[in-house]
Amino acid sequence: MLKREIMQKNRFGGVFPNEEVFREIYGECIENQQQASKDVRDSYSRMNDEFENYLNAVQEDMFRYAYQCGYEAAVVAFGKGGAA
């Protein structure tokens, strides 16, 4: 086998003659894939809910800190007579 043929074979995963054949077989497999079990779907839903809770908590934390920094800067500015 020529080096070029070996490289070509490795490029397409060794079993597919070319990218077009791979895409066709891959598409058929995806279309025929069974749906995940109810347990998997329920677990995903719970995980997604918890991730949303996490993101909301992080955003709230960031807002509180930024607000606090702004408040403290205003207190310092007014205390020194900087804003009048």
Side-chain angles (χ1 to χ4, degrees), residues 29-43:
C29 287
I30 294 299
E31 287 176 13
N32 296 329
Q33 184 178 12
Q34 295 179 4
Q35 186 178 29
S37 70
K38 182 168 176 11
D39 287 341
V40 170
R41 293 191 315 269
D42 290 346
S43 294

Side-chain angles (χ1 to χ4, degrees), residues 9 16 18 22-23 28 33 37 40 45-46 50-51 53 59-61 74-75 77 79:
K9 200 167 192 177
F16 304 103
N18 56 47
F22 167 76
R23 294 285 171 199
E28 289 174 13
Q33 184 178 12
S37 70
V40 170
S45 181
R46 288 191 307 272
E50 289 305 314
F51 187 67
N53 290 339
Q59 287 178 328
E60 184 177 318
D61 242 13
V75 167

